[in-house]
Amino acid sequence: MFVRECVLRCNAKIAFVLLLASTLLACKDVEQSSELLNSFEPEFVAQWQKVVEASEPPAEYSLQAACTPQVIEANPQLAVKGTIIMVHGFTACNQQFFDWGLQLAAAGYHVVLPALPGHGLVGEQQDLLLESSGLANSAQVYSDFADQLVLLGQLSPGPSKIIAGLSVGGAVAAAVAIRGEQTFDKALLMAPFLAIPMTYSPEEGPQLEPLSPQEELDLLDLLNSETDNSEQLEQLWQQFAQLLEQFRTGVAQSLLALLKLSIFIPQLDYNWGPDCEDERMAGRAGICNFKISNLFAVDSFGRETLEAYQQADSLELQIQLVAVENDNGADPLAIQILAERLNSLVGEQASGYCLYDGTIVPHSFISKYDNIVLADEGAVDVHSSALANMEALWLSRFYSEAMEFIDSDTPNLFANEQGFCIQQAL
């Protein structure tokens, strides 16, 4: 009976992994100045073109306008303070940073907004059902892209060089930071996606073998079965329970491994649901659909990035980690482990970690396009209304503290006497 109850809980976890009630998703048009980039050296322009090419769609697709890689040049009336590279989240677009990017450019920073490979595609017939075709099925795609951003950072105008990212973009930024620690002065990691929510645990035990085709069919039948008293079903439950017990520590981690190693599950289509579609109808760029294999790719990349920090001996840059309590768009335990590791690697004087109240602040906490639910009922301009409410609640404080971190030689790492982002004792 215990096994049965345990596996029933496992089944719920499978449903969670597959359904992922998450807010991972996260304009005014930003003037595109990257065609000429007269303020930059030719070496930077050449490397920027490589970054752009990494995001170019296949011939049968095009990029949504608000997903095009962009460079917002610094206010020409000010001395250039440096360059900030900002990486958007999974299935979203660099539109997430348009408002903030304009503020940072006005303050004297070149703002570089790349597009993650395979993101923001649309078919020739504007067919949104096929737009996920370019998303990566391998962590290597994100790893290679991070390497390209390190090279771009090396060629970016100074004196300050900063890497920032949100969600999966936060994981990419974290990878860039540790690989380019001699290049970048600071990193701002916002709710980094280091693992599928509620699935991270230290990996122990032997590797799990992929399921056979017959086991795939048995698992599919098992997940769809409404029978609760079949002797055969009970045997299957016990078989899979024993298989999981031989693998990793943690039920969710074991189930995730089992699903990744299956043949059938990664090919399933998934959609973020009606909220995402409502946001897109209101002007949010990006996509709402993907395959489970696309999600597994970012999960693997995030775990590899966290492992790199756990294996590092030292780190020579300032890092601010900002997250949301009980985040359903990024694994909180994985973020906590990263925070503890950062504190160990660079110390309290060069690392900061704070959490926003998860009952107030969503995972995609900087984009008015991702948060139209906050708009006042009946608002004519839902984006302006959502932005006003975000600023009233938390966004203006975030912008202020982020600018202090970005702009100061001796930053006060998100002082928390006021505002919503509460420093956590490590």
Side-chain angles (χ1 to χ4, degrees), residues 175-240:
V176 171
I178 195 169
R179 299 177 192 184
E181 61 174 313
Q182 302 298 322
T183 295
F184 291 89
D185 306 291
K186 299 172 185 176
L188 178 59
L189 311 180
M190 297 167 279
F193 184 98
L194 303 172
I196 291 174
M198 306 306 293
T199 64
Y200 186 82
S201 61
E203 298 183 353
E204 300 175 2
Q207 293 291 323
L208 187 66
E209 293 297 324
L211 300 180
S212 69
Q214 185 57 51
E215 286 175 327
E216 291 278 351
L217 294 175
D218 290 343
L219 175 59
L220 182 60
D221 289 341
L222 181 63
L223 294 176
N224 292 329
S225 176
E226 297 180 356
T227 305
D228 59 4
N229 58 0
S230 166
E231 180 179 349
Q232 180 182 11
L233 182 60
E234 185 68 29
Q235 290 175 352
L236 280 173
W237 276 124
Q238 293 182 15
Q239 175 187 344
F240 284 116

Side-chain angles (χ1 to χ4, degrees), residues 271-315:
N271 191 293
W272 289 129
D275 288 346
C276 177
E277 297 295 347
D278 289 345
E279 289 173 353
R280 184 157 62 179
M281 291 297 292
R284 184 191 64 78
I287 64 177
C288 293
N289 60 292
F290 52 91
K291 290 186 180 296
I292 299 299
S293 58
N294 304 140
L295 187 64
F296 288 168
V298 294
D299 178 84
S300 297
F301 173 73
R303 290 168 189 268
E304 292 172 7
T305 300
L306 180 55
E307 179 65 20
Y309 278 85
Q310 291 175 308
Q311 297 297 323
D313 295 323
S314 62
L315 197 60

Side-chain angles (χ1 to χ4, degrees), residues 100 103 356 361 365-366 386-404 414 418-421:
W100 192 20
Q103 293 181 35
Y356 283 102
V361 183
F365 56 84
I366 63 170
L387 184 61
N389 289 326
M390 290 164 63
E391 288 179 340
L393 288 172
W394 74 83
L395 193 60
S396 60
R397 179 67 181 182
F398 169 79
Y399 282 157
S400 174
E401 292 186 324
M403 181 57 74
E404 185 173 359
F414 277 59
Q418 305 172 30
F420 283 92
C421 201

Side-chain angles (χ1 to χ4, degrees), residues 5 21 23 46 75 78 101 125 127 132 146 166 168 221 242 251 266 272 295 310 314 325 338 344 370 413:
E5 291 177 353
T23 55
N75 184 348
L78 299 176
Q125 306 301 320
D127 185 356
S132 64
L166 170 66
V168 170
D221 289 341
Q242 292 170 0
V251 172
W272 289 129
L295 187 64
Q310 291 175 308
S314 62
E325 287 179 316
L338 177 61
S344 175
D370 294 66
L413 294 164

